[in-house]
Amino acid sequence: MERIARKAVQQSSKLIDIRERYRETLKDKARAAALLDDLMMNPFITVLRAQKSLRVSNPTARKTVELLIKRGIIAPLGDRRWGKVYVSKEILEAIEQK
């Protein structure tokens, strides 16, 4: 039980560190920073999900996703042309840490 609790604390600490580092990277981009909380809950995102979360147009959501890619926070998953899914590998690895 104690081992599980320690592991949970380590995982939480790692996720907080990631979030704070990303927030610093995005301090000049409010929309992109707003998507961080979504990524912390679910490290997979689409332009449509970003659009709904931010309550912005599709082109604005697309630009925000592209910024997250440029800043190294997310990367495309697979090679689909439409309905692309992006993932924050660092967040995913922290969540899946065993």
Coordinates of all heavy atoms in Angstrom, one line a residue:
M1 N 0.8 -1.2 0.0 CA 0.0 0.0 0.0 C 0.9 1.3 0.0 O 0.6 2.2 -0.7 CB -0.9 0.0 1.2 CG -1.9 1.1 1.2 SD -3.2 0.9 0.0 CE -4.6 1.1 1.0
E2 N 1.9 1.3 0.8 CA 2.8 2.4 0.9 C 3.5 2.6 -0.4 O 3.7 3.8 -0.8 CB 3.8 2.2 2.1 CG 4.7 3.4 2.3 CD 5.7 3.1 3.5 OE1 5.3 2.4 4.4 OE2 6.8 3.7 3.4
R3 N 3.9 1.5 -1.0 CA 4.6 1.6 -2.3 C 3.7 2.2 -3.4 O 4.2 3.1 -4.2 CB 5.0 0.2 -2.8 CG 6.0 0.2 -3.9 CD 6.4 -1.2 -4.3 NE 6.0 -1.4 -5.7 CZ 5.1 -2.2 -6.1 NH1 4.5 -3.0 -5.3 NH2 4.9 -2.3 -7.4
I4 N 2.5 1.9 -3.4 CA 1.5 2.4 -4.3 C 1.3 3.9 -4.1 O 1.3 4.7 -5.0 CB 0.2 1.7 -4.3 CG1 0.3 0.2 -4.7 CG2 -0.9 2.4 -5.1 CD1 -0.9 -0.7 -4.5
A5 N 1.2 4.3 -2.8 CA 1.1 5.7 -2.5 C 2.3 6.5 -2.9 O 2.1 7.6 -3.5 CB 0.8 5.9 -1.0
R6 N 3.5 6.0 -2.7 CA 4.7 6.7 -3.1 C 4.8 6.9 -4.6 O 5.1 7.9 -5.1 CB 5.9 5.9 -2.6 CG 6.5 6.5 -1.3 CD 7.8 5.9 -1.0 NE 7.6 5.0 0.1 CZ 8.0 3.7 0.1 NH1 8.8 3.3 -0.9 NH2 7.8 2.9 1.1
K7 N 4.4 5.8 -5.3 CA 4.4 5.9 -6.8 C 3.4 6.9 -7.3 O 3.6 7.6 -8.2 CB 4.0 4.5 -7.3 CG 4.5 4.2 -8.7 CD 4.5 2.7 -8.9 CE 5.2 2.3 -10.2 NZ 6.5 2.4 -10.3
A8 N 2.2 7.0 -6.6 CA 1.2 8.0 -7.0 C 1.7 9.4 -6.8 O 1.5 10.3 -7.6 CB -0.1 7.8 -6.2
V9 N 2.4 9.6 -5.7 CA 3.0 10.9 -5.4 C 4.1 11.3 -6.5 O 4.1 12.4 -7.0 CB 3.6 11.0 -4.0 CG1 4.4 12.2 -3.8 CG2 2.5 10.9 -2.9
Q10 N 4.9 10.3 -6.8 CA 5.9 10.5 -7.8 C 5.3 10.9 -9.2 O 5.7 11.8 -9.9 CB 6.8 9.3 -8.0 CG 7.8 9.1 -6.8 CD 8.5 7.8 -7.0 OE1 8.1 6.9 -7.7 NE2 9.6 7.6 -6.2
Q11 N 4.2 10.1 -9.5 CA 3.6 10.4 -10.8 C 2.9 11.8 -10.8 O 3.1 12.5 -11.8 CB 2.5 9.3 -11.0 CG 1.8 9.5 -12.4 CD 0.7 8.4 -12.6 OE1 0.0 8.1 -11.6 NE2 0.6 7.8 -13.7
S12 N 2.3 12.1 -9.7 CA 1.6 13.5 -9.7 C 2.7 14.6 -9.7 O 2.5 15.6 -10.4 CB 0.9 13.6 -8.3 OG -0.2 12.7 -8.3
S13 N 3.8 14.4 -9.1 CA 4.9 15.3 -9.1 C 5.4 15.5 -10.5 O 5.7 16.6 -10.9 CB 6.0 14.9 -8.1 OG 7.0 15.8 -8.1
K14 N 5.6 14.4 -11.2 CA 6.1 14.5 -12.5 C 5.2 15.2 -13.5 O 5.6 16.1 -14.3 CB 6.4 13.1 -13.1 CG 7.0 13.1 -14.4 CD 7.6 11.7 -14.8 CE 8.3 11.9 -16.1 NZ 9.1 10.7 -16.4
L15 N 3.9 14.9 -13.3 CA 2.9 15.6 -14.2 C 2.8 17.1 -13.9 O 2.7 17.9 -14.8 CB 1.5 15.0 -14.0 CG 1.3 13.6 -14.6 CD1 0.1 12.9 -14.1 CD2 1.3 13.7 -16.1
I16 N 2.9 17.5 -12.6 CA 2.9 18.9 -12.3 C 4.2 19.6 -12.8 O 4.1 20.7 -13.4 CB 2.9 19.1 -10.7 CG1 1.5 18.7 -10.2 CG2 3.2 20.5 -10.3 CD1 1.4 18.5 -8.7
D17 N 5.3 18.9 -12.8 CA 6.5 19.5 -13.4 C 6.4 19.7 -14.9 O 6.8 20.7 -15.4 CB 7.7 18.6 -13.1 CG 8.2 18.6 -11.6 OD1 7.7 19.5 -10.9 OD2 8.9 17.6 -11.2
I18 N 5.8 18.7 -15.5 CA 5.6 18.8 -17.0 C 4.7 20.0 -17.3 O 5.0 20.8 -18.1 CB 5.0 17.5 -17.6 CG1 6.1 16.4 -17.5 CG2 4.5 17.7 -19.0 CD1 5.5 15.0 -17.7
R19 N 3.6 20.1 -16.5 CA 2.6 21.1 -16.8 C 3.2 22.5 -16.6 O 3.1 23.4 -17.4 CB 1.4 21.0 -15.8 CG 0.3 22.0 -16.1 CD -0.8 22.0 -15.1 NE -0.2 22.4 -13.9 CZ -0.8 22.2 -12.7 NH1 -1.9 21.5 -12.6 NH2 -0.3 22.7 -11.6
E20 N 4.0 22.7 -15.5 CA 4.6 24.0 -15.2 C 5.7 24.3 -16.3 O 5.8 25.5 -16.7 CB 5.2 24.0 -13.8 CG 4.2 23.9 -12.7 CD 3.0 24.9 -12.9 OE1 3.3 26.1 -13.1 OE2 1.9 24.4 -12.8
R21 N 6.4 23.3 -16.7 CA 7.4 23.6 -17.8 C 6.7 24.0 -19.1 O 7.1 25.0 -19.8 CB 8.3 22.3 -18.0 CG 9.4 22.6 -19.0 CD 10.5 21.4 -18.9 NE 10.0 20.1 -18.5 CZ 9.5 19.2 -19.3 NH1 9.4 19.4 -20.6 NH2 9.1 18.0 -18.8
Y22 N 5.7 23.3 -19.4 CA 4.9 23.7 -20.6 C 4.2 25.1 -20.5 O 4.2 25.8 -21.4 CB 3.8 22.6 -20.9 CG 4.3 21.3 -21.5 CD1 3.5 20.2 -21.6 CD2 5.7 21.2 -21.9 CE1 3.9 19.0 -22.1 CE2 6.1 20.0 -22.4 CZ 5.2 18.9 -22.5 OH 5.7 17.7 -23.0
R23 N 3.7 25.4 -19.3 CA 3.1 26.7 -19.1 C 4.2 27.8 -19.3 O 3.9 28.8 -19.9 CB 2.6 26.8 -17.7 CG 1.2 26.2 -17.5 CD 0.5 26.6 -16.2 NE -0.6 25.8 -15.9 CZ -1.7 25.8 -16.5 NH1 -2.0 26.6 -17.5 NH2 -2.7 25.0 -16.1
E24 N 5.4 27.6 -18.8 CA 6.5 28.5 -19.0 C 6.8 28.7 -20.5 O 7.0 29.8 -21.0 CB 7.7 28.1 -18.3 CG 8.9 29.0 -18.4 CD 8.6 30.4 -17.8 OE1 7.8 30.5 -16.9 OE2 9.2 31.4 -18.3
T25 N 6.8 27.6 -21.3 CA 7.0 27.6 -22.7 C 5.9 28.3 -23.4 O 6.2 29.0 -24.5 CB 7.1 26.1 -23.2 OG1 8.1 25.4 -22.6 CG2 7.3 26.1 -24.7
L26 N 4.7 28.3 -22.9 CA 3.6 28.9 -23.6 C 3.1 30.2 -22.9 O 2.0 30.6 -23.2 CB 2.4 27.9 -23.6 CG 2.7 26.6 -24.4 CD1 1.6 25.6 -24.2 CD2 2.8 26.9 -25.9
K27 N 3.9 30.8 -22.1 CA 3.4 32.0 -21.3 C 2.9 33.1 -22.2 O 2.1 33.9 -21.8 CB 4.5 32.4 -20.3 CG 5.7 33.0 -20.9 CD 6.7 33.4 -19.9 CE 8.0 33.8 -20.5 NZ 9.1 33.9 -19.6
D28 N 3.4 33.2 -23.4 CA 3.0 34.2 -24.3 C 1.9 33.8 -25.2 O 1.5 34.6 -26.1 CB 4.2 34.7 -25.2 CG 4.8 33.5 -26.0 OD1 4.7 32.4 -25.6 OD2 5.4 33.8 -27.0
K29 N 1.3 32.6 -25.0 CA 0.3 32.1 -25.9 C -0.9 31.6 -25.1 O -0.9 30.4 -24.7 CB 0.8 31.0 -26.8 CG 1.9 31.5 -27.7 CD 1.5 32.5 -28.7 CE 2.6 32.9 -29.6 NZ 2.2 34.0 -30.5
A30 N -1.8 32.4 -24.7 CA -2.9 32.0 -23.8 C -3.8 30.9 -24.3 O -4.1 30.0 -23.5 CB -3.8 33.3 -23.5
R31 N -4.1 30.8 -25.6 CA -4.9 29.7 -26.1 C -4.2 28.4 -25.9 O -4.8 27.4 -25.5 CB -5.3 30.0 -27.5 CG -6.4 31.0 -27.7 CD -7.0 31.0 -29.1 NE -7.9 32.1 -29.2 CZ -7.6 33.2 -29.9 NH1 -6.4 33.3 -30.5 NH2 -8.5 34.2 -30.0
A32 N -3.0 28.4 -26.3 CA -2.2 27.1 -26.3 C -2.1 26.7 -24.8 O -2.2 25.5 -24.5 CB -0.9 27.3 -26.9
A33 N -1.8 27.6 -23.9 CA -1.7 27.3 -22.5 C -3.0 26.8 -21.9 O -3.0 25.9 -21.1 CB -1.2 28.6 -21.7
A34 N -4.1 27.3 -22.5 CA -5.4 26.8 -22.0 C -5.6 25.3 -22.3 O -6.4 24.6 -21.6 CB -6.5 27.7 -22.6
L35 N -5.0 24.9 -23.4 CA -5.2 23.5 -23.8 C -4.4 22.5 -22.9 O -4.6 21.3 -22.9 CB -4.8 23.2 -25.2 CG -5.8 23.7 -26.3 CD1 -5.2 23.4 -27.7 CD2 -7.1 23.0 -26.1
L36 N -3.5 23.0 -22.1 CA -2.6 22.2 -21.3 C -3.5 21.4 -20.3 O -3.2 20.2 -20.1 CB -1.6 23.0 -20.5 CG -0.4 23.5 -21.3 CD1 0.5 24.3 -20.5 CD2 0.3 22.4 -22.0
D37 N -4.5 22.0 -19.7 CA -5.3 21.3 -18.7 C -6.0 20.1 -19.4 O -6.1 19.0 -18.8 CB -6.3 22.2 -18.0 CG -5.6 23.1 -17.0 OD1 -4.5 22.8 -16.5 OD2 -6.1 24.2 -16.8
D38 N -6.5 20.3 -20.6 CA -7.1 19.2 -21.4 C -6.1 18.1 -21.6 O -6.4 16.9 -21.5 CB -7.6 19.8 -22.8 CG -8.9 20.6 -22.7 OD1 -9.4 20.7 -21.5 OD2 -9.3 21.0 -23.7
L39 N -4.9 18.5 -22.0 CA -3.8 17.5 -22.3 C -3.4 16.7 -21.0 O -3.1 15.6 -21.1 CB -2.6 18.1 -22.9 CG -2.8 18.6 -24.4 CD1 -1.6 19.4 -24.8 CD2 -2.9 17.4 -25.3
M40 N -3.5 17.4 -19.9 CA -3.2 16.7 -18.6 C -4.2 15.6 -18.3 O -3.9 14.6 -17.7 CB -3.1 17.7 -17.5 CG -1.9 18.7 -17.7 SD -0.3 18.0 -18.0 CE 0.1 17.3 -16.5
M41 N -5.5 15.9 -18.7 CA -6.5 14.9 -18.4 C -6.5 13.8 -19.5 O -6.9 12.7 -19.2 CB -7.9 15.6 -18.4 CG -8.1 16.4 -17.2 SD -9.7 17.1 -17.0 CE -9.7 18.3 -18.3
N42 N -6.2 14.2 -20.7 CA -6.2 13.2 -21.8 C -5.1 13.7 -22.8 O -5.3 14.7 -23.5 CB -7.6 13.2 -22.5 CG -7.6 12.3 -23.7 OD1 -6.6 11.7 -24.1 ND2 -8.8 12.2 -24.3
P43 N -4.0 13.0 -22.9 CA -2.9 13.5 -23.7 C -3.1 13.4 -25.2 O -2.2 13.7 -26.0 CB -1.7 12.6 -23.2 CG -2.4 11.4 -22.7 CD -3.7 11.8 -22.2
F44 N -4.3 13.0 -25.6 CA -4.6 12.9 -27.0 C -5.5 14.1 -27.4 O -6.5 14.4 -26.6 CB -5.3 11.6 -27.4 CG -4.4 10.4 -27.1 CD1 -4.5 9.7 -25.9 CD2 -3.6 9.9 -28.1 CE1 -3.7 8.6 -25.6 CE2 -2.8 8.8 -27.8 CZ -2.8 8.2 -26.6
I45 N -5.3 14.7 -28.5 CA -6.1 15.8 -28.9 C -6.3 15.9 -30.4 O -5.4 15.4 -31.1 CB -5.6 17.2 -28.3 CG1 -6.6 18.3 -28.4 CG2 -4.3 17.5 -29.0 CD1 -6.3 19.4 -27.5
T46 N -7.4 16.4 -30.8 CA -7.7 16.7 -32.2 C -8.0 18.2 -32.4 O -8.2 18.9 -31.4 CB -8.9 15.9 -32.7 OG1 -10.1 16.4 -32.0 CG2 -8.7 14.4 -32.6
V47 N -8.0 18.6 -33.6 CA -8.3 20.0 -33.8 C -9.7 20.3 -33.4 O -10.0 21.3 -32.8 CB -8.1 20.4 -35.3 CG1 -8.6 21.8 -35.6 CG2 -6.6 20.4 -35.7
L48 N -10.6 19.4 -33.7 CA -12.0 19.5 -33.2 C -12.2 19.6 -31.7 O -12.9 20.5 -31.2 CB -12.9 18.4 -33.8 CG -14.4 18.4 -33.4 CD1 -15.0 19.7 -34.0 CD2 -15.1 17.2 -34.0
R49 N -11.4 18.8 -31.0 CA -11.5 18.9 -29.5 C -10.9 20.2 -29.1 O -11.5 20.8 -28.1 CB -10.7 17.7 -28.9 CG -10.8 17.7 -27.4 CD -10.2 16.4 -26.8 NE -9.7 16.7 -25.5 CZ -8.6 16.3 -25.0 NH1 -7.8 15.6 -25.7 NH2 -8.2 16.6 -23.8
A50 N -9.8 20.7 -29.7 CA -9.3 22.0 -29.3 C -10.3 23.1 -29.6 O -10.4 24.0 -28.8 CB -8.0 22.2 -30.1
Q51 N -10.9 23.0 -30.7 CA -11.9 24.0 -31.1 C -13.1 24.1 -30.1 O -13.4 25.2 -29.7 CB -12.5 23.6 -32.5 CG -13.5 24.6 -33.0 CD -14.1 24.2 -34.4 OE1 -13.5 23.2 -35.0 NE2 -15.1 24.8 -34.8
K52 N -13.6 22.9 -29.7 CA -14.7 22.9 -28.7 C -14.2 23.4 -27.4 O -14.9 24.1 -26.7 CB -15.2 21.5 -28.6 CG -16.0 21.1 -29.8 CD -16.6 19.7 -29.7 CE -17.4 19.3 -30.9 NZ -17.9 17.9 -30.9
S53 N -13.0 23.0 -26.9 CA -12.5 23.3 -25.6 C -12.3 24.8 -25.5 O -12.6 25.5 -24.5 CB -11.2 22.6 -25.3 OG -10.7 23.0 -24.1
L54 N -11.7 25.4 -26.6 CA -11.3 26.8 -26.6 C -12.5 27.7 -27.0 O -12.4 28.9 -26.9 CB -10.1 27.1 -27.5 CG -8.8 26.4 -27.1 CD1 -7.8 26.5 -28.2 CD2 -8.3 26.9 -25.8
R55 N -13.5 27.1 -27.6 CA -14.6 27.9 -28.2 C -14.2 28.9 -29.2 O -14.4 30.1 -29.1 CB -15.4 28.5 -27.0 CG -16.1 27.5 -26.1 CD -16.9 28.2 -25.1 NE -17.6 27.2 -24.2 CZ -17.5 27.2 -22.9 NH1 -16.8 28.1 -22.3 NH2 -18.1 26.3 -22.2
V56 N -13.4 28.4 -30.2 CA -12.9 29.2 -31.2 C -13.2 28.6 -32.6 O -13.7 27.4 -32.6 CB -11.3 29.4 -31.1 CG1 -11.0 30.1 -29.8 CG2 -10.6 28.0 -31.1
S57 N -12.9 29.3 -33.6 CA -13.1 28.7 -35.0 C -12.1 27.6 -35.3 O -11.1 27.5 -34.6 CB -12.9 29.8 -36.0 OG -11.5 30.2 -36.1
N58 N -12.4 26.8 -36.3 CA -11.5 25.7 -36.7 C -10.1 26.3 -37.1 O -9.1 25.7 -36.7 CB -12.1 24.9 -37.8 CG -11.3 23.7 -38.2 OD1 -10.4 23.9 -39.0 ND2 -11.6 22.6 -37.7
P59 N -10.0 27.3 -37.9 CA -8.7 27.8 -38.3 C -7.9 28.3 -37.0 O -6.7 28.0 -36.9 CB -8.9 29.0 -39.2 CG -10.3 28.7 -39.8 CD -11.1 28.0 -38.7
T60 N -8.5 28.9 -36.1 CA -7.8 29.3 -34.8 C -7.4 28.1 -34.0 O -6.3 28.1 -33.5 CB -8.8 30.2 -34.0 OG1 -9.1 31.4 -34.8 CG2 -8.1 30.6 -32.7
A61 N -8.2 27.1 -33.9 CA -7.9 25.9 -33.2 C -6.7 25.2 -33.9 O -5.8 24.7 -33.3 CB -9.1 24.9 -33.1
R62 N -6.7 25.2 -35.2 CA -5.7 24.5 -36.0 C -4.3 25.2 -35.8 O -3.3 24.6 -35.6 CB -6.0 24.5 -37.5 CG -5.1 23.7 -38.4 CD -5.7 23.6 -39.8 NE -7.0 22.9 -39.8 CZ -7.2 21.7 -39.6 NH1 -6.2 20.8 -39.4 NH2 -8.5 21.2 -39.6
K63 N -4.4 26.6 -35.8 CA -3.1 27.3 -35.5 C -2.6 27.1 -34.1 O -1.4 27.0 -33.9 CB -3.4 28.8 -35.7 CG -3.5 29.2 -37.1 CD -3.8 30.7 -37.2 CE -4.1 31.1 -38.7 NZ -4.4 32.5 -38.8
T64 N -3.5 26.9 -33.2 CA -3.1 26.6 -31.8 C -2.4 25.2 -31.7 O -1.4 25.1 -31.1 CB -4.3 26.7 -30.8 OG1 -4.9 28.0 -31.0 CG2 -3.9 26.5 -29.4
V65 N -3.0 24.3 -32.4 CA -2.5 22.9 -32.4 C -1.1 22.9 -33.1 O -0.1 22.3 -32.6 CB -3.4 21.9 -33.1 CG1 -2.7 20.6 -33.4 CG2 -4.6 21.7 -32.2
E66 N -1.0 23.7 -34.2 CA 0.3 23.8 -34.9 C 1.4 24.4 -34.0 O 2.5 24.0 -34.0 CB 0.1 24.6 -36.1 CG -0.6 23.8 -37.2 CD -1.0 24.7 -38.4 OE1 -0.6 25.9 -38.5 OE2 -1.7 24.2 -39.3
L67 N 1.0 25.4 -33.1 CA 1.9 26.0 -32.2 C 2.4 24.9 -31.2 O 3.6 24.9 -30.9 CB 1.3 27.2 -31.5 CG 2.1 27.8 -30.4 CD1 3.3 28.5 -31.0 CD2 1.3 28.8 -29.6
L68 N 1.5 24.1 -30.7 CA 1.9 23.1 -29.7 C 2.9 22.1 -30.4 O 3.8 21.6 -29.7 CB 0.6 22.3 -29.2 CG -0.3 23.2 -28.3 CD1 -1.6 22.4 -28.0 CD2 0.4 23.6 -27.0
I69 N 2.7 21.8 -31.7 CA 3.6 21.0 -32.4 C 5.0 21.6 -32.5 O 6.0 21.0 -32.2 CB 3.1 20.6 -33.8 CG1 1.8 19.8 -33.7 CG2 4.1 19.9 -34.6 CD1 1.0 19.6 -35.0
K70 N 5.0 22.9 -32.9 CA 6.3 23.6 -33.0 C 7.0 23.7 -31.7 O 8.2 23.7 -31.7 CB 6.0 25.0 -33.6 CG 5.6 25.0 -35.0 CD 5.4 26.5 -35.5 CE 4.8 26.4 -36.9 NZ 4.3 27.7 -37.4
R71 N 6.3 23.8 -30.6 CA 6.9 24.0 -29.3 C 7.3 22.6 -28.7 O 7.8 22.5 -27.6 CB 6.0 24.7 -28.3 CG 5.7 26.1 -28.8 CD 6.6 27.2 -28.3 NE 6.4 28.5 -28.9 CZ 5.9 29.5 -28.2 NH1 5.6 29.4 -26.9 NH2 5.7 30.7 -28.8
G72 N 7.0 21.5 -29.5 CA 7.4 20.2 -29.0 C 6.6 19.6 -28.0 O 7.0 18.6 -27.3
I73 N 5.3 20.1 -27.8 CA 4.5 19.6 -26.7 C 3.6 18.4 -27.2 O 3.4 17.5 -26.5 CB 3.6 20.7 -26.2 CG1 4.5 21.8 -25.5 CG2 2.5 20.2 -25.3 CD1 3.9 23.0 -25.1
I74 N 3.2 18.5 -28.5 CA 2.4 17.4 -29.1 C 3.1 17.0 -30.4 O 3.8 17.7 -31.0 CB 0.9 17.7 -29.3 CG1 0.8 18.9 -30.2 CG2 0.2 17.9 -27.9 CD1 -0.7 19.2 -30.6
A75 N 2.7 15.8 -30.9 CA 3.1 15.3 -32.2 C 2.0 14.5 -32.8 O 1.2 13.9 -32.1 CB 4.4 14.4 -32.0
P76 N 1.9 14.5 -34.1 CA 0.9 13.7 -34.8 C 1.1 12.2 -34.5 O 2.2 11.7 -34.4 CB 1.1 14.0 -36.3 CG 2.1 15.1 -36.4 CD 2.8 15.2 -35.1
L77 N -0.1 11.6 -34.4 CA -0.1 10.1 -34.2 C -0.6 9.5 -35.5 O -1.7 9.7 -35.8 CB -1.0 9.8 -33.0 CG -1.1 8.4 -32.5 CD1 0.3 8.1 -31.9 CD2 -2.1 8.3 -31.4
G78 N 0.3 8.8 -36.1 CA -0.1 8.2 -37.4 C 0.1 9.2 -38.5 O 0.6 10.3 -38.3
D79 N -0.5 8.8 -39.7 CA -0.3 9.7 -40.9 C -1.6 10.0 -41.6 O -1.6 10.2 -42.8 CB 0.7 9.1 -41.8 CG 0.3 7.7 -42.3 OD1 -0.7 7.2 -41.8 OD2 1.1 7.1 -43.1
R80 N -2.7 10.1 -40.8 CA -4.0 10.4 -41.4 C -4.0 11.8 -41.9 O -3.3 12.7 -41.3 CB -5.1 10.3 -40.4 CG -5.3 8.8 -39.9 CD -6.2 8.7 -38.8 NE -7.5 9.3 -39.1 CZ -8.6 9.2 -38.3 NH1 -8.4 8.7 -37.1 NH2 -9.7 9.7 -38.6
R81 N -4.7 12.1 -43.0 CA -4.7 13.5 -43.5 C -5.9 14.2 -42.9 O -5.8 15.4 -42.6 CB -5.0 13.4 -45.0 CG -3.7 13.0 -45.8 CD -3.9 13.2 -47.3 NE -4.2 14.5 -47.6 CZ -3.4 15.4 -48.2 NH1 -2.2 15.0 -48.4 NH2 -3.8 16.6 -48.5
W82 N -7.0 13.5 -42.6 CA -8.2 14.2 -42.0 C -8.4 13.5 -40.6 O -8.2 12.4 -40.4 CB -9.4 14.0 -42.9 CG -9.2 14.7 -44.2 CD1 -8.9 14.1 -45.4 CD2 -9.3 16.1 -44.5 NE1 -8.7 15.0 -46.4 CE2 -9.0 16.3 -45.8 CE3 -9.5 17.2 -43.7 CZ2 -9.0 17.5 -46.4 CZ3 -9.5 18.5 -44.3 CH2 -9.2 18.6 -45.6
G83 N -8.9 14.3 -39.7 CA -9.2 13.8 -38.4 C -8.0 13.4 -37.6 O -8.0 12.4 -36.9
K84 N -6.9 14.1 -37.8 CA -5.6 13.7 -37.2 C -5.7 13.8 -35.7 O -6.4 14.6 -35.1 CB -4.5 14.7 -37.6 CG -3.9 14.4 -38.9 CD -2.7 15.2 -39.1 CE -2.0 14.8 -40.5 NZ -0.8 15.5 -40.7
V85 N -5.0 12.8 -35.1 CA -4.9 12.8 -33.6 C -3.5 13.1 -33.3 O -2.6 12.7 -33.9 CB -5.3 11.4 -33.1 CG1 -5.1 11.3 -31.6 CG2 -6.7 11.0 -33.5
Y86 N -3.4 14.0 -32.3 CA -2.1 14.4 -31.8 C -1.9 13.9 -30.3 O -2.9 13.7 -29.6 CB -1.9 15.9 -31.8 CG -2.2 16.5 -33.2 CD1 -3.5 16.8 -33.6 CD2 -1.1 16.6 -34.1 CE1 -3.7 17.3 -34.9 CE2 -1.3 17.1 -35.4 CZ -2.6 17.4 -35.8 OH -2.9 17.9 -37.0
V87 N -0.7 13.7 -29.9 CA -0.4 13.2 -28.6 C 0.7 13.9 -27.9 O 1.7 14.2 -28.6 CB -0.2 11.6 -28.6 CG1 1.1 11.3 -29.4 CG2 -0.1 11.1 -27.2
S88 N 0.6 14.1 -26.7 CA 1.7 14.6 -25.9 C 2.4 13.4 -25.3 O 1.9 12.8 -24.3 CB 1.3 15.5 -24.7 OG 2.4 15.9 -23.9
K89 N 3.5 12.9 -25.9 CA 4.1 11.7 -25.5 C 4.7 11.8 -24.1 O 4.6 10.8 -23.3 CB 5.2 11.3 -26.5 CG 4.7 11.0 -27.9 CD 5.8 10.6 -28.8 CE 5.2 10.3 -30.2 NZ 6.2 10.1 -31.2
E90 N 5.2 12.9 -23.7 CA 5.7 13.1 -22.4 C 4.6 12.9 -21.3 O 4.8 12.2 -20.3 CB 6.4 14.4 -22.2 CG 7.2 14.6 -21.0 CD 8.0 15.8 -20.9 OE1 7.7 16.8 -21.6 OE2 8.9 15.9 -20.0
I91 N 3.5 13.5 -21.5 CA 2.4 13.4 -20.6 C 1.9 11.9 -20.6 O 1.7 11.3 -19.5 CB 1.2 14.4 -20.9 CG1 1.7 15.8 -20.7 CG2 0.0 14.1 -20.1 CD1 0.7 16.8 -21.2
L92 N 1.7 11.3 -21.7 CA 1.3 10.0 -21.8 C 2.2 9.0 -21.1 O 1.8 8.2 -20.3 CB 1.1 9.5 -23.3 CG 0.7 8.1 -23.5 CD1 -0.7 7.9 -22.9 CD2 0.7 7.7 -25.0
E93 N 3.5 9.2 -21.3 CA 4.5 8.3 -20.6 C 4.4 8.5 -19.0 O 4.6 7.6 -18.3 CB 5.9 8.6 -21.1 CG 6.1 8.1 -22.5 CD 7.4 8.6 -23.1 OE1 8.2 9.3 -22.4 OE2 7.7 8.2 -24.3
A94 N 4.2 9.8 -18.6 CA 4.1 10.0 -17.2 C 2.8 9.4 -16.6 O 2.9 8.8 -15.5 CB 4.1 11.5 -16.9
I95 N 1.7 9.4 -17.4 CA 0.5 8.8 -16.9 C 0.6 7.2 -16.9 O 0.2 6.6 -15.9 CB -0.7 9.2 -17.8 CG1 -1.0 10.6 -17.6 CG2 -1.9 8.3 -17.6 CD1 -2.0 11.2 -18.7
E96 N 1.3 6.7 -17.9 CA 1.5 5.2 -18.0 C 2.6 4.7 -17.1 O 2.8 3.5 -17.1 CB 1.6 4.8 -19.4 CG 0.4 5.0 -20.2 CD 0.6 4.6 -21.7 OE1 1.7 4.5 -22.2 OE2 -0.4 4.2 -22.3
Q97 N 3.4 5.5 -16.5 CA 4.5 5.1 -15.7 C 4.1 4.0 -14.7 O 3.2 4.1 -14.0 CB 5.1 6.3 -14.9 CG 6.2 6.0 -14.1 CD 6.7 7.3 -13.3 OE1 6.3 8.4 -13.6 NE2 7.5 7.1 -12.3
K98 N 5.0 3.0 -14.7 CA 4.7 1.8 -13.8 C 5.7 1.7 -12.8 O 6.8 2.1 -12.8 CB 4.5 0.5 -14.7 CG 3.4 0.6 -15.6 CD 3.2 -0.7 -16.4 CE 2.0 -0.5 -17.2 NZ 1.8 -1.4 -18.2

